[in-house]
């Protein structure tokens, strides 16, 4: 058998290592390219929801299929690839969008979203809740055909400037009340600890005071 010296072995090891690095780089670049693919899903928030959808002001921007989601929701994560597929298939026909309700509480309150994902279809001044199988095929059929057989719901009015101010005032008042209650509770704890400390200190110093009294009598 041909003898392979230490230098040859080291050289071979570096070659294999170099090949491995190249392969990892190729796969990583392919993965990055996939992640950078532009999404057809429109991202909504409290600031642009009514402006973009015009849900309660005429809907001149077309029909909207909107997912109200939470980032921690497992069902929302499972829905994500189907929602992306749906957005691509309905592009030019229906606006497919999503909104993170945990970061946009105003919209969450407006539509009373309490479970995730909540999926609603908006068209012709009305909205329809989707409760079917969350596949791109079924949701596409709902948006193009079968939504009409679902219960027609009235779209809640967009909050006015006065509503927003009132809500902010309520939040401030609530925070002040919480702060007051925390301080009140803290004061109660301090008083209780002071009483307890005084009691313990009294118990610890009682023998010394008694001994001092006895020594004084003896004198």
């Amino acid at each position: 058998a041909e003898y392979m010296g230490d230098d040859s072995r080291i050289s071979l090891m570096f070659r294999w290592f170099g090949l491995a690095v190249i392969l990892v780089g190729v796969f990583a670049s392919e993965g990055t390219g996939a992640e950078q693919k532009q999404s057809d899903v429109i991202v909504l928030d409290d600031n642009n929801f009514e402006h973009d959808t015009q849900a309660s002001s005429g809907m001149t921007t077309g029909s909207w299929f909107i997912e109200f989601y939470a980032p921690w929701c497992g069902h929302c994560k499972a829905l994500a690839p189907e929602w992306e597929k749906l957005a691509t298939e309905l592009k030019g026909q229906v606006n497919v969008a999503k909104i993170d309700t945990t970061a946009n509480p105003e919209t969450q309150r407006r539509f009373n979203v309490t479970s995730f994902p909540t999926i609603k279809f908006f068209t012709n001044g009305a909205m329809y809740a989707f409760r079917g199988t969350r596949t791109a095929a079924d949701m596409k059929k709902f948006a193009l055909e079968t939504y009409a057989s679902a219960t027609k719901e009235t779209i809640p009015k967009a909050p006015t400037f006065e509503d927003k101010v009132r809500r902010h005032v309520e939040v401030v008042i609530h925070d002040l009340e919480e702060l007051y209650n925390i301080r009140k509770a803290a004061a109660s704890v301090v008083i209780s600890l002071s009483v307890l400390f005084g009691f313990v200190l009294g118990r610890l110093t009682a023998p010394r005071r008694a001994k001092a009294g006895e020594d004084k009598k003896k004198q």
Side-chain angles (χ1 to χ4, degrees):
E2 184 180 352
Y3 172 77
M4 181 177 290
D6 291 339
D7 291 344
S8 298
R9 291 176 180 174
I10 293 173
S11 177
L12 183 61
M13 287 173 60
F14 272 103
R15 287 178 184 175
W16 280 108
F17 179 76
L19 180 60
V21 170
I22 292 173
L23 290 174
V24 170
V26 170
F27 286 119
S29 63
E30 289 180 355
T32 303
E35 292 174 357
Q36 292 178 346
K37 179 182 178 296
Q38 187 174 359
S39 173
D40 291 319
V41 177
I42 301 168
V43 178
L44 299 173
D45 56 37
D46 281 346
N47 296 320
N48 67 10
F49 190 96
E50 185 60 32
H51 176 272
D52 288 3
T53 67
Q54 297 184 12
S56 58
S57 57
M59 299 200 70
T60 58
T61 57
S63 300
W64 289 77
F65 212 177
I66 303 174
E67 175 201 3
F68 299 81
Y69 76 98
W72 48 259
C73 167
H75 293 299
C76 300
K77 293 177 182 178
L79 171 63
E82 292 296 310
W83 200 246
E84 289 285 348
K85 183 178 178 182
L86 176 70
T88 300
E89 292 183 2
L90 288 179
K91 191 173 183 178
Q93 302 177 77
V94 174
N95 299 293
V96 177
K98 64 180 180 180
I99 180 168
D100 176 3
T101 53
T102 63
N104 299 281
E106 181 182 292
T107 304
Q108 181 178 12
R109 286 191 300 271
R110 178 183 176 185
F111 292 97
N112 192 30
V113 177
T114 57
S115 60
F116 306 102
T118 291
I119 303 173
K120 292 184 179 292
F121 181 63
F122 298 77
T123 189
N124 298 324
M127 67 180 183
Y128 305 83
F130 175 78
R131 296 187 175 89
T133 306
R134 300 188 193 109
T135 62
D138 283 355
M139 293 185 292
K140 180 178 181 180
K141 187 176 181 180
F142 182 85
L144 298 179
E145 302 174 21
T146 60
Y147 73 87
S149 61
T151 302
K152 184 177 181 180
E153 302 175 24
T154 301
I155 299 175
K157 292 292 183 183
T160 62
F161 176 75
E162 289 76 11
D163 293 333
K164 294 178 181 180
V165 171
R166 188 182 305 111
R167 177 59 187 172
H168 282 298
V169 170
E170 291 174 353
V171 170
V172 171
I173 292 174
H174 178 267
D175 290 343
L176 291 174
E177 290 176 345
E178 288 291 319
L179 182 61
Y180 172 76
N181 291 332
I182 290 173
R183 289 186 174 180
K184 189 175 179 181
S188 300
V189 171
V190 170
I191 293 172
S192 299
L193 289 175
S194 299
V195 171
L196 179 61
F197 178 75
F199 175 77
V200 172
L201 185 62
R203 296 285 292 181
L204 291 174
T205 58
R208 293 183 181 180
R209 290 199 306 271
K211 188 175 185 303
E214 290 176 359
D215 290 343
K216 190 174 182 180
K217 288 179 180 179
K218 289 179 180 179
Q219 292 176 358

